[in-house]
Amino acid sequence: MERWGVVAALPDELAPLSASLLGARRVGRGPGRAVEGKLGQRRVVVMPTGDGAERAARGMREFLARHDVSSVVAIGIAGGLSDDLQVGDIVAAGRISNGQGVVPAPDSGLLERVEGLAGLRRGEVHSHAQIAVDPVAKQRLWEQTGRNVASVVDLESASFARQAAANGLPYLVLRAVSDSHDEALPLDFNRFRKPDGSSVRGRVLRFAVRHPSIVPEFMQLRERLRHCAARLAAL
């Protein structure tokens, strides 16, 4: 039976998909926390890699070294760059960029299989070193990347793409929009990141507790993440 791999940066981005797997069980050892089960007629193994470009690359290498898969689908949330995207829209990456050389292209056959599904757009994913926290930053990135329609920004997709290609595996990236091009995040999450680009969630929560005025927006963003993860799992 064909076995696919599904990765995301954060466990929350994978939770609804993991919950939908039939006969789900943990596989492998160590901190990878991979879960394998059946989805339709396909075996699927899912694992969070960690957030940020460096951790995503390292986690993806470990994932592919431990698990024999025929294809890889990378999922997760992203910020909208173009004004044609709304919160909850899903972008299938036809192109991925990160300003550091050519990123291997997603598999055309996998793209063809998902095109036409409701709520999905083919577009561009730009992986940036910093989280785009406000409309000014998003506008700047949109202009720098060519002002393309259905453009989103994330941290990890270029890392996922390069590791999949290095292993000779076809891959697909699906990103759900958690915040639109004209929205600001409730705080500058870049302040709470380690040198490797990963977030320190405990520091974020402590900051929110000390600044209760941002808690409603913070909780709204969390609910959006859950909504996006559910939409990705359904797709």
Side-chain angles (χ1 to χ4, degrees):
M1 181 182 293
E2 192 176 24
R3 190 171 185 241
W4 282 28
V6 181
V7 296
L10 301 173
D12 290 347
E13 294 171 309
L14 286 170
L17 179 61
S18 298
S20 69
L21 297 178
L22 296 178
R25 63 184 181 91
R26 291 189 178 275
V27 292
R29 298 179 180 177
R33 306 184 306 281
V35 175
E36 182 175 358
K38 191 175 180 182
L39 192 65
Q41 299 302 309
R42 182 173 291 112
R43 300 297 300 180
V44 176
V45 57
V46 306
M47 192 185 88
T49 61
D51 57 329
E54 185 177 328
R55 285 190 68 195
R58 184 168 64 246
M60 184 73 151
R61 284 194 299 270
E62 294 173 358
F63 175 76
L64 296 178
R66 296 176 183 178
H67 306 288
D68 183 20
V69 297
S70 60
S71 303
V72 175
V73 181
I75 67 175
I77 61 171
L81 295 183
S82 53
D83 62 7
D84 57 323
L85 292 173
Q86 304 298 319
V87 172
D89 286 348
I90 297 176
V91 173
R95 179 176 181 270
I96 297 173
S97 62
N98 76 336
Q100 299 178 18
V102 176
V103 178
D107 183 73
S108 58
L110 293 178
L111 277 170
E112 289 176 2
R113 291 171 70 167
V114 300
E115 283 184 329
L117 295 177
L120 183 141
R121 301 276 304 279
R122 181 168 176 166
E124 177 173 354
V125 175
H126 179 70
S127 293
H128 192 53
Q130 298 289 314
I131 299 170
V133 297
D134 57 42
V136 174
K138 294 175 185 179
Q139 175 74 17
R140 187 182 303 118
L141 286 173
W142 184 61
E143 293 175 351
Q144 290 174 355
T145 55
R147 300 190 178 194
N148 296 313
V149 298
S151 292
V152 297
V153 59
D154 70 3
L155 300 172
E156 301 92 8
S157 287
S159 294
F160 292 148
R162 289 192 168 108
Q163 293 303 317
N167 284 269
L169 292 173
Y171 81 89
L172 178 69
V173 169
L174 302 174
R175 288 285 180 174
V177 178
S178 59
D179 48 291
S180 60
H181 77 288
D182 57 353
E183 288 185 298
L185 298 179
L187 71 161
D188 184 356
F189 289 98
N190 294 303
R191 296 170 51 192
F192 306 95
R193 299 173 69 204
K194 297 178 182 178
D196 66 0
S198 61
S199 299
V200 184
R201 301 182 76 177
R203 288 180 58 195
V204 174
L205 292 174
R206 287 193 294 272
F207 182 90
V209 169
R210 292 195 300 267
H211 300 80
S213 63
I214 71 167
V215 170
E217 290 181 273
F218 189 77
M219 296 305 295
Q220 181 187 53
L221 185 63
R222 186 177 180 183
E223 286 304 312
R224 286 187 180 186
L225 188 157
R226 291 174 175 170
H227 172 68
C228 288
R231 292 211 64 200
L232 287 163
L235 185 69

